[in-house]
Each structure stands twice: as structure tokens, then as C-alpha cells.
Amino acid sequence: MTTINDNYLKLKAGYLFPEIARRVNTFAEANPDAQIIKLGIGDVTEPLPEACRTAMIKAVEEMGDRSTFKGYGPEQGYSWLREKIAQHDFQARGGDIDAEEIFISDGSKCDTGNILDIFGKDNTIAVTDPVYPVYVDTNVMAGNTGPVNERGEYEGLLYLPITAENNFTAEIPSDRVDLIYLCFPNNPTGATATKEHLKKWVDYARANGSIILFDAAYEAFITDPSLPHSIYEIEGARECAIEFRSFSKNAGFTGTRCAFTVVPKTLMAKTSSGSDVELWKLWNRRQSTKFNGVSYIIQRGAEAVYSPAGQSQIQQLVDFYLENAQIIREKLTAAGLTVYGGVNAPYVWVKTPSGLSSWDFFDKLLQTCNVVGTPGSGFGAAGEGYFRISAFNSRQNVEAAMERITDKFKAL
Amino acid sequence: MTTINDNYLKLKAGYLFPEIARRVNTFAEANPDAQIIKLGIGDVTEPLPEACRTAMIKAVEEMGDRSTFKGYGPEQGYSWLREKIAQHDFQARGGDIDAEEIFISDGSKCDTGNILDIFGKDNTIAVTDPVYPVYVDTNVMAGNTGPVNERGEYEGLLYLPITAENNFTAEIPSDRVDLIYLCFPNNPTGATATKEHLKKWVDYARANGSIILFDAAYEAFITDPSLPHSIYEIEGARECAIEFRSFSKNAGFTGTRCAFTVVPKTLMAKTSSGSDVELWKLWNRRQSTKFNGVSYIIQRGAEAVYSPAGQSQIQQLVDFYLENAQIIREKLTAAGLTVYGGVNAPYVWVKTPSGLSSWDFFDKLLQTCNVVGTPGSGFGAAGEGYFRISAFNSRQNVEAAMERITDKFKAL
């Protein structure tokens, strides 16, 4: 008989977002008149920038003419897009990244999962706790972990707690690990990393032959000029880091789908016999064999992000969501809650009041204010007692939600 | 030190299409005036159907209005697209497939590779020879094979020869295998399968607990009404087959990117302890965790394929390429060559004359006629002595290429 990948059976059944949906649906059925406001999932709500739309319409029209029609493109993405990314997102900020080191994809979720294809099965892996669940689940599916315990932790993963006590920046592990997932600005806590903090990670990785998998999907929300947008702003990162970037949150591409991954040609890892291999070659082979590139139309839309009009329009989008975050921070603080993040990040990380568990606070907020957020414990055991509020919503919804919390907070 | 996936080192270095490009470039540099016509890679050349373009422009415009803007869509695809596919491509032809069993993706290349994620490592795997190289290479990368031998065959794979002697339909194996890749209409040979032939495979799979991975990317080219377009037209296939479909070749989406995979909810495989698990649940989990759905804009373009205008326009495209195939068949036959395929398929499979090897014929055709095709041996050892000519090109190029071959064939 054909067998399945048994590792899938290790995955926790009660995944975070389906469980949220279940509780919201139950509440909505029992309270059909409730106007529920969802500040849970980090999905954008505002229109796609005009520059991107104009470019995509032009690209669709080109597809209608034999002389400008595009069939298969390069699996790695078109060079006109890769070059603009290398210049604007890296070289302009002092990051020494070449266009050939950029691989265009249809999403960071895909890339952060697929990257495991090119690594061995014997690597030790560290994640922060709380953490974006995809890093963990894809390792489980790839067979890089043992079973889950009652705290929701998988055997074989090293969990690095990030809490208010350590300012939401994980301590460098005392033991060696091979692969380290870092996400700054952080999902879910909204924390950021200074250059000094990242330098410690880079130094650690280089000293230990480790690889940092750096998720910078939220870099556009950094307003503090001292904070790095890319790990390649740190000396030595070309020797130890892969970076994931996305157009989802800066340009509102969550439904349009374009992202990219940076694999420097100087990044090496070992064969089982101890020889060095360029990870760029492996990722290039992986993408060439298992991927056929992003739609020409969508790549033209992404390219428009780098036009002067596009740059101005995405800045307006980012500013808009950051203003939402500021409103959330101010209103929750005024209501007596302790909040973190939301300054250089679109997520506000709330300490639950009165020692409530994350899920108890979720239920109270839903029942009392009809507002949905995300329980911190859903992102990991150390997220217990925290709660994520997303700034990705309309101003009207954000203000209405905060008004309800302000009015009814005493009941919480 | 971080280790790599050593299985990548087993992959043959001289991949088919890069080697073709190398030889063509060398020839072009030495012969700068040569007008080279490429009938190698199976990439479409004609404009995207108007119905699809109109739908995509409308979708782009919707993205510009807050009230119609789309963020994250369902990872499995929008139901309006899945329902149309289920109805038109399956139910209308007697295939009992529900919309929920259809997973929209950005390409069949991705899906045929990614599907291995959900299977165990101990399955025995059969491929035809010649074969679409992605099936083999993704198994190598996943660690499902041993090293390659001098014939280009990987240890641990069962190769089923398809040649003129067996009418390009593989014999059912005498031994049990778990996973079987079948592709009809076939790439590269252009062969088709009757319902009776597929029934034998379905019966074999059901008797042995095997799973058929059925690639129907070229089904639109079937003109013979007796031939099945889908394996689900065969009784029992819901219990043993996954089917891959694409908009690349029927609607010219190679650069636009949309495809889908069908996983019936009745399809089971075993855990290592022998329990049954629904493969639908595993694929759903895989796609939900490692994929974020296809662009809304592109899905609207794919949906338009099923409108009356879209159906008429894709039929014109298919007819156009089939006429190319007919011209190729006729001209090559008249030139004294023996040809197969090209009737219900966009590929013509040519027997090389005078016992020439596939690569020798490639070189002669390039040097004498300045025409590029694909050496059959690049698709597997049993493809030696054959040559693939693609019908995906302009009429002008096809006619010019055939004229050159007719004129200069004596020199070959």
C-alpha cells in the first residue's frame, strides 16, 4: 500500500485561525445582531496602489498582442524586477546584494516553507516563542521534529522565549544551532531589532556555521532611521543569512501575490561528507525544478512599487496602517492595558489584564466588545498572557473597536 | 555546521534545456546570420484570449476600490472558480468530482513536485521512459532514489519504456509499485490513452493499493471523442488517482500562471502503522500551510476560460496549434521521416533517420536547417533515437521550419 508522510500526523489538530473562526461563528450565531470587528488576521484592507494597477493593466494588454505576449518567464523572476529590488531595497541601504541573488516568488509563506527542501535532516533548529506558526509547522511536516507536548512544543526544536522580560528579543543560545528563524519587525509581538542585536546573531551564526532565516516581511513599517530593514545591513550577513521579503504588507499584495527571497552567492553549507556547497545553487535548482515563476502581469505590478509614484503610494499605505497602530496603542493604554509593538510594526502586542489567559481574554473581548484579536498563546507557549491586535483594517473599524474597548473595559 | 539536502548532489548536471541553449548559442555565435527557429520548449506563442484579459482588467480595477478589494483568498482557490472547473471539466464529461476536491495552484510543475510532500519515503515509484523530467528530478530531490547510472536512470525508480514497439503506452508492471506517474496526451511522445488502457491502470492501482499521479495538462488537444480527457472518466479512479491540470496550454497561461490539482476525498493511503488516511486532508493541510493561493486577478482570468466567449477563444487556440502539428506531421512524413503523435497532442515525436542518435540529429537539424527541437534521449534512455518537435509556435515559423527541412532533408 502507498504510505503517507507520517509527520503530518504530528501536527496539532486545533490550528489557531480555524479555532478563532469557530469561536467567532458560534458567537455570531448566538448573537445575530452583533457587529463584530475583526482585528485578528494580518490582512490588508486598503486598495492596491494606482501605480501597480496601471502597470498590471498595461501588462494584461501586452498579453493580447503576439509581439508583446509573454510565455514562460525565468523561474527566478524577470531581471528588470530583480534589479530594481537589489538597488532600492538593498544597495541603497548599504546592503551588498546583487540582482541574481534575488528570487521572485508568489509568497513568503511558500518560501519560508520551501526553503527547508535544500537543507539536511540532521540540522538543529531554533525558533522564537511566540512565533509565526508556519516556521514550526513546515519543520514538523518535513520530519525535522518529534511529537508535540502538552505545551504545544515539538520535540527537537529549540524554543527561544521572547517576552516583556527580555524586551522581546531572544537571547543568543548557549548551545550551537544550525538554522535560526528570526522575524523583525516581529510577527506577532511587533518588536524590532537594532543593528547591534542583529550583529550578535550574525557573529553567533558565523562562529557556529549556522544559517539565519530572516523574515523581513514587515520592514516597510520601520520608521526609526537607526533600525535596519535588512539583515544584509549587518556586516557578515552575506555569509550566514537568507532573507524573505514580501509585497503583501507594504503594497497590499496579500491577494495579488508577489514576494522574494534573497540567497547570497557567498552563503555555504556542508554536505554530509563535509564539503562546502553554495546554497544559491541549490535554491536555484529547487526553484527551476519545482516552480515556474510568478505571473508576468503580477511582476509588472510589483515593479511599479519602485516607480516614484509607487514609492509615494506605498508610503501612504504604510503610514495609514501605522496611524491605526498608534490609535490602538493610545486607546488601549488609556484604557489601562499594557501594550508593546505597534510603533515600527503593524501589530500591537497586549498584555492580558488581571492575569487572564490569552483565550479567556479573547472570549471576553469578543463577548463584551464584539472585537476579535488573536490569542498570544496561539503563537507559542511563551505567548500565553498576551494578545495580538492587528492594525490592518479601515480607520472606521479601528476607531469603532477602540471606542468599544474604552467604553466597556471595566467589564473586562 | 549546517548541512544541505545531499540528494540534490545526485541530480545530473547537464540538464536538457540548458544543454540545448548552450549548443544553440554556440551555433548562433559562429553563424550570426542564421535565422534560427526554435521548436524545442513547449511554450505557447499566441495572445491570451480576450475573455481572460477582459476579466483580469476588471479584477485589477476591483483591487482599486476598497469595497471590492481582495486580500488573502482561500488557499485552495475561490469557490466560483473551483465550481466552474468541477462542472465543465469533470461533471459534464461524467467525472464525479466536487468543487471541494479541486485545489487551484500557480502551476502543474509546482503541484507535480509538491505532491511528494504528503507521501512516505518508502513508496516504490514508477515513471515512463521517456518522461517529463520534473517527475524524476523531484523524486531525486525528495530522497526517493539512489544515484544515477550511465544511462541516466536513477536507482530505485522503475522505468516503464514507451516506444513505437508498444505504441507508446507502458505495459502494466508485473511487480507492485506504489506511485505511478502517467501523462496523457503524453509529453514528450504525443501519445494518447484509450479508456480501455486507463481502465487497466485503474484496476491495477486498486488491486495493489497504488496511487496514479495523472498529468492531463494537454487534455484540451484531444479531438477524438472516444478518448478520455480525465482519469475520472474511468470507473474506480476516485479511489486511486490524483489529477493535474493546467491553463498553460489550453488558454496560453504559461506566463500568466494558473493550474489545478484534483484530490478526491475518497482517496486513501496508509500510515506506517497501517491505518487509512484521506489524502485530501493532507494536501489541504500542505496547501494551507505552505501556499497562500493564486492571485485574485489571475483566478478571475482563469474563470473567464469557462465563459461562452472564453470557451470559443480557447478552442481557436487549440485548433491553431493542432493545425501546426498537422503541418509538421505532413511535411516531415513527406520528407521521408517516421512521425508519431501530433494528432490529439501538440507534440510530434520523430524517429531519427539513419539510426542517428537524438543529439546527432539535433546537431544536424540545427546546422543544416537552423531548426531547434528537443532530443528524445533528454527525456530518458528509451527516448534515444527519437526527437520532439513542438507545435507551439507561429504559423510562419512552423511553415518556414518545415520548408527548410523539406528542402534540405537529403543533407540530413
Side-chain angles (χ1 to χ4, degrees):
Chain A
M1 289 295 286
T2 310
T3 61
I4 64 153
N5 176 354
D6 273 353
N7 296 303
Y8 276 61
L9 305 177
K10 297 177 194 161
L11 290 163
K12 282 176 286 185
Y15 186 63
L16 177 61
F17 292 105
E19 175 60 17
I20 291 174
R22 194 190 64 75
R23 293 192 190 208
V24 171
N25 289 340
T26 305
F27 178 79
E29 279 168 25
N31 302 274
D33 295 333
Q35 299 290 314
I36 298 172
I37 298 176
K38 295 181 182 178
L39 301 176
I41 292 176
D43 194 5
V44 295
T45 56
E46 303 308 300
L48 214 57
E50 190 191 2
C52 304
R53 287 183 278 123
T54 303
M56 288 194 284
I57 287 174
K58 179 164 177 284
V60 173
E61 285 165 352
E62 286 173 21
M63 291 298 234
D65 183 332
R66 197 179 194 291
S67 67
T68 49
F69 176 80
K70 295 286 185 301
Y72 290 122
E75 288 98 346
Q76 302 83 355
Y78 281 100
S79 57
W80 36 258
L81 176 55
R82 300 167 84 191
E83 281 161 13
K84 287 193 181 65
I85 291 170
Q87 189 196 327
H88 283 257
D89 286 332
F90 298 99
Q91 293 160 14
R93 299 192 60 86
D96 175 22
I97 293 295
D98 184 78
E100 285 215 337
E101 298 174 323
I102 289 162
F103 292 82
I104 310 298
S105 82
D106 65 328
S108 282
K109 188 182 178 188
C110 315
D111 286 352
T112 53
N114 293 337
I115 198 75
L116 292 174
D117 281 10
I118 65 169
F119 289 108
K121 295 294 178 201
D122 49 353
N123 292 305
T124 51
I125 294 153
V127 293
T128 62
D129 176 8
V131 70
Y132 176 50
V134 167
Y135 310 153
V136 173
D137 289 356
T138 53
N139 271 290
V140 176
M141 290 152 74
N144 294 340
T145 75
V148 70
N149 69 18
E150 59 193 8
R151 284 168 54 87
E153 296 163 340
Y154 289 93
E155 190 183 296
L157 290 185
L158 179 65
Y159 290 86
L160 308 173
I162 51 174
T163 61
E165 287 65 44
N166 60 18
N167 201 25
F168 301 101
T169 47
E171 279 176 43
I172 308 284
S174 48
D175 292 338
R176 261 201 72 246
V177 293
D178 296 308
L179 294 174
I180 305 141
Y181 291 83
L182 294 178
C183 174
F184 291 111
N186 188 249
N187 175 15
T189 68
T192 52
T194 62
K195 285 186 179 175
E196 293 68 33
H197 180 70
L198 287 190
K199 183 71 166 70
K200 286 183 196 166
W201 276 112
V202 167
D203 291 345
Y204 168 84
R206 293 188 70 188
N208 288 282
S210 318
I211 307 277
I212 297 169
L213 302 172
F214 191 76
D215 187 344
Y218 298 95
E219 61 76 30
F221 295 89
I222 295 174
T223 52
D224 181 340
S226 76
L227 295 175
H229 289 237
S230 163
I231 197 161
Y232 303 116
E233 295 174 41
I234 311 302
E235 197 192 331
R238 281 185 59 86
E239 275 67 56
C240 65
I242 289 171
E243 183 165 304
F244 304 98
R245 288 278 191 108
S246 174
F247 295 100
S248 283
K249 308 299 162 87
N250 63 350
F253 268 44
T254 55
T256 301
R257 311 304 312 140
C258 199
F260 58 93
T261 287
V262 187
V263 185
K265 289 191 175 177
T266 43
L267 187 63
M268 312 295 270
K270 296 282 186 196
T271 66
S272 58
S273 59
S275 331
D276 282 326
V277 173
E278 290 175 33
L279 288 174
W280 185 92
K281 284 188 181 170
L282 298 189
W283 187 245
N284 189 54
R285 183 68 196 241
R286 194 266 168 216
Q287 292 298 83
S288 303
T289 306
K290 294 178 77 172
F291 185 57
N292 242 329
V294 171
S295 175
Y296 171 72
I297 298 159
I298 305 303
Q299 289 192 66
R300 282 293 186 199
E303 183 194 27
V305 164
Y306 298 97
S307 67
Q311 287 287 294
S312 154
Q313 289 160 18
I314 68 164
Q315 193 56 55
Q316 285 172 39
L317 275 179
V318 166
D319 290 347
F320 174 82
Y321 293 122
L322 282 174
E323 283 160 25
N324 279 352
Q326 191 180 347
I327 292 167
I328 294 168
R329 279 181 58 89
E330 286 173 2
K331 295 289 182 184
L332 295 183
T333 304
L337 289 161
T338 304
V339 300
Y340 304 95
V343 178
N344 295 287
Y347 296 122
V348 177
W349 190 240
V350 185
K351 186 90 194 81
T352 60
S354 317
L356 284 177
S357 78
S358 297
W359 277 110
D360 284 349
F361 186 70
F362 174 92
D363 289 335
K364 285 221 169 186
L365 202 61
L366 175 60
Q367 286 156 18
T368 316
C369 304
N370 306 338
V371 170
V372 178
T374 313
S377 57
F379 296 99
E384 180 58 271
Y386 292 94
F387 199 76
R388 191 186 79 173
I389 301 275
S390 163
F392 291 116
N393 217 310
S394 67
R395 183 62 43 83
Q396 194 185 347
N397 276 348
V398 166
E399 286 178 343
M402 291 308 117
E403 198 169 316
R404 292 185 200 167
I405 294 176
T406 304
D407 287 351
K408 300 186 176 173
F409 181 68
K410 286 182 182 129
L412 291 181
Chain B
M1 290 292 289
T2 310
T3 61
I4 64 153
N5 176 353
D6 274 352
N7 296 303
Y8 276 61
L9 306 177
K10 296 176 194 162
L11 289 163
K12 282 176 288 184
Y15 186 62
L16 177 61
F17 292 106
E19 175 60 17
I20 291 174
R22 195 189 65 74
R23 294 192 189 207
V24 171
N25 290 341
T26 305
F27 178 78
E29 280 168 23
N31 302 273
D33 295 334
Q35 299 290 314
I36 298 172
I37 298 176
K38 295 181 181 177
L39 300 177
I41 291 176
D43 194 4
V44 295
T45 56
E46 302 308 302
L48 215 57
E50 190 190 1
C52 303
R53 287 183 279 122
T54 304
M56 288 195 284
I57 287 173
K58 179 166 176 284
V60 172
E61 285 164 354
E62 285 172 23
M63 291 299 235
D65 183 332
R66 199 178 193 291
S67 67
T68 50
F69 176 80
K70 296 285 183 303
Y72 291 121
E75 289 98 346
Q76 302 83 353
Y78 282 99
S79 57
W80 35 259
L81 177 55
R82 300 167 85 191
E83 280 161 13
K84 287 193 182 66
I85 291 169
Q87 189 195 326
H88 283 258
D89 287 332
F90 298 98
Q91 293 160 12
R93 299 193 60 85
D96 175 22
I97 293 295
D98 185 77
E100 286 214 336
E101 298 174 324
I102 288 162
F103 292 82
I104 311 297
S105 82
D106 65 328
S108 282
K109 190 181 176 188
C110 315
D111 286 351
T112 52
N114 292 337
I115 197 76
L116 293 174
D117 281 10
I118 65 170
F119 289 107
K121 296 293 179 201
D122 49 353
N123 292 305
T124 50
I125 294 154
V127 294
T128 62
D129 176 9
V131 70
Y132 176 49
V134 167
Y135 309 153
V136 173
D137 289 356
T138 53
N139 271 290
V140 177
M141 289 152 75
N144 293 341
T145 75
V148 69
N149 69 18
E150 58 192 10
R151 284 169 55 88
E153 296 163 341
Y154 289 92
E155 191 182 294
L157 290 186
L158 178 65
Y159 290 86
L160 308 173
I162 50 173
T163 61
E165 286 68 42
N166 61 17
N167 201 24
F168 302 100
T169 48
E171 279 176 44
I172 308 286
S174 48
D175 292 339
R176 259 200 73 246
V177 293
D178 296 308
L179 295 173
I180 305 142
Y181 290 85
L182 295 178
C183 174
F184 290 111
N186 188 251
N187 175 15
T189 69
T192 53
T194 62
K195 285 187 178 174
E196 293 69 32
H197 180 70
L198 287 190
K199 183 71 168 71
K200 285 183 195 166
W201 276 112
V202 167
D203 290 345
Y204 168 85
R206 294 189 70 189
N208 289 281
S210 318
I211 307 277
I212 297 170
L213 302 172
F214 191 76
D215 187 345
Y218 299 95
E219 60 76 32
F221 295 89
I222 295 174
T223 52
D224 180 340
S226 77
L227 295 175
H229 289 236
S230 163
I231 197 161
Y232 303 115
E233 295 174 41
I234 311 303
E235 198 192 329
R238 281 185 60 85
E239 275 67 56
C240 66
I242 290 172
E243 183 164 306
F244 304 98
R245 288 279 191 107
S246 174
F247 295 100
S248 283
K249 308 298 163 87
N250 62 351
F253 269 44
T254 56
T256 301
R257 312 303 313 140
C258 198
F260 57 93
T261 288
V262 187
V263 185
K265 289 191 175 176
T266 43
L267 186 62
M268 312 295 271
K270 295 283 186 195
T271 66
S272 58
S273 59
S275 330
D276 282 326
V277 173
E278 289 175 33
L279 288 174
W280 184 94
K281 284 188 182 170
L282 299 188
W283 186 244
N284 189 54
R285 183 68 196 243
R286 193 266 167 216
Q287 293 297 85
S288 304
T289 306
K290 295 178 76 171
F291 185 57
N292 242 329
V294 171
S295 174
Y296 171 71
I297 298 159
I298 305 302
Q299 289 192 66
R300 282 294 185 197
E303 184 194 27
V305 164
Y306 298 97
S307 67
Q311 287 286 295
S312 154
Q313 289 160 17
I314 68 165
Q315 193 57 55
Q316 286 172 38
L317 276 178
V318 166
D319 289 347
F320 174 82
Y321 293 122
L322 282 175
E323 283 160 25
N324 280 351
Q326 192 180 348
I327 292 167
I328 294 168
R329 280 179 57 87
E330 285 174 2
K331 295 289 183 183
L332 295 183
T333 305
L337 288 161
T338 304
V339 299
Y340 304 95
V343 177
N344 295 287
Y347 295 123
V348 177
W349 191 241
V350 186
K351 187 87 194 85
T352 60
S354 318
L356 284 176
S357 78
S358 297
W359 278 110
D360 285 348
F361 186 70
F362 174 92
D363 289 334
K364 285 221 168 185
L365 202 62
L366 176 60
Q367 287 156 18
T368 315
C369 305
N370 306 338
V371 170
V372 178
T374 313
S377 57
F379 297 99
E384 180 59 271
Y386 292 93
F387 198 77
R388 191 186 79 174
I389 301 274
S390 163
F392 291 116
N393 217 311
S394 66
R395 183 61 44 82
Q396 194 185 346
N397 276 348
V398 166
E399 286 179 343
M402 292 306 118
E403 199 171 315
R404 291 185 199 168
I405 294 176
T406 305
D407 287 350
K408 300 185 178 172
F409 179 68
K410 286 181 184 130
L412 290 182

